[in-house]
Amino acid sequence: MMKESEKLVEEALNGSPEHPHVMRYVGIFFRDQGSIDRSVALLKKALESSPNSCFTHHQLALCFKNKKMNLQRERRDTEVVDEARDKSIYHLEKATSIKASFIIAMSELALQYAERGDLYMAEGLFETTFKTATETNDHLHVVHFHYAQFQQYSIRREDLAIQHYKECLAIGPHTGEGTRSAQKLMKIAQKHIKDDPNDWKANEIVGLIYQVKGEMWQDNECHAKASSNEEDDEYLKNLDELMSFQ
């Protein structure tokens, strides 16, 4: 069954090497299967015929990002981790140079700059990305999520991280970033409540999470009655993750 799926993916890639939906599918498919090298090989092949495809560069960047995280979990040498990160940055830079308003890639690139230690470049790119996302009303929740991570892990400003996780959750509660923001907020709150059960800010965060959960649960019931499609499946997956806090 897997070989048949791979064959169909290759046929789709060869038939529409520049189609963004095909690019996303190929990248997600092989990454989900843990076949990052296979995904990289196919995407590089597609890049040969369409070198200016920002979507292909973006998918390659995500592949190398996943590879970097795997190497970090395996506690591999810093050099190989840095190499994977640099490749991810390279393809993100290519993607954003081809499409200047590629907000998701811009936001990811800023975060990768920060992880590499280029905090000034990261801050400047985040500023540009926020402006573009606000003007176009496009993927603003993603920028808030990545900026929250930047504040939490690179700048060590937990207060600003909390602020932007909240913004992400408010704008995109049904999205993957919204779910992960809720998870980040809950972990922060639990840490503070463990030290001081009466910490009002931490308890306020917990209240916010449960308020959002309740609203999402009501919305879910409406969605279930209305239809069952791919978007709803993703919604339910995110909801299940959020409900697991209980």
Side-chain angles (χ1 to χ4, degrees), residues 111 148-157 161 165 184:
L111 196 60
Q149 289 184 299
F150 170 67
Q151 293 295 336
Q152 184 176 8
Y153 300 113
S154 298
I155 307 299
R156 304 294 181 182
R157 284 290 304 273
Y165 283 135
K184 295 286 187 181

Side-chain angles (χ1 to χ4, degrees), residues 162-205:
I162 290 171
Q163 176 185 330
H164 287 281
Y165 283 135
K166 284 181 176 180
E167 289 286 350
C168 175
L169 182 59
I171 297 170
H174 297 184
T175 65
E177 289 80 12
T179 296
R180 290 193 289 276
S181 290
Q183 292 170 335
K184 295 286 187 181
L185 286 168
M186 186 62 81
K187 286 182 179 179
I188 291 171
Q190 288 174 336
K191 178 187 68 177
H192 287 287
I193 290 173
K194 184 177 181 181
D195 295 333
D196 178 10
N198 296 316
D199 187 316
W200 69 270
K201 287 186 178 180
N203 281 285
E204 183 182 55
I205 290 173

Side-chain angles (χ1 to χ4, degrees), residues 80-162:
V80 294
V81 173
D82 290 345
E83 182 182 359
R85 180 187 297 112
D86 288 344
K87 288 181 179 179
S88 180
I89 288 174
Y90 168 79
H91 287 290
L92 287 169
E93 288 177 337
K94 292 291 288 185
T96 54
S97 67
I98 295 167
K99 184 181 179 182
S101 61
F102 199 164
I103 293 169
I104 295 177
M106 291 167 66
S107 181
E108 182 64 56
L109 178 57
L111 196 60
Q112 294 280 358
Y113 280 154
E115 192 175 310
R116 191 172 65 180
D118 298 329
L119 301 184
Y120 181 79
M121 290 180 65
E123 189 70 70
L125 184 53
F126 269 124
E127 183 178 341
T128 301
T129 308
F130 266 117
K131 181 180 179 181
T132 304
T134 302
E135 290 175 350
T136 60
N137 192 29
D138 184 28
H139 291 102
L140 185 57
H141 67 289
V142 176
V143 188
H144 277 294
F145 178 71
H146 284 155
Y147 193 63
Q149 289 184 299
F150 170 67
Q151 293 295 336
Q152 184 176 8
Y153 300 113
S154 298
I155 307 299
R156 304 294 181 182
R157 284 290 304 273
E158 189 178 84
D159 57 330
L160 291 178
I162 290 171

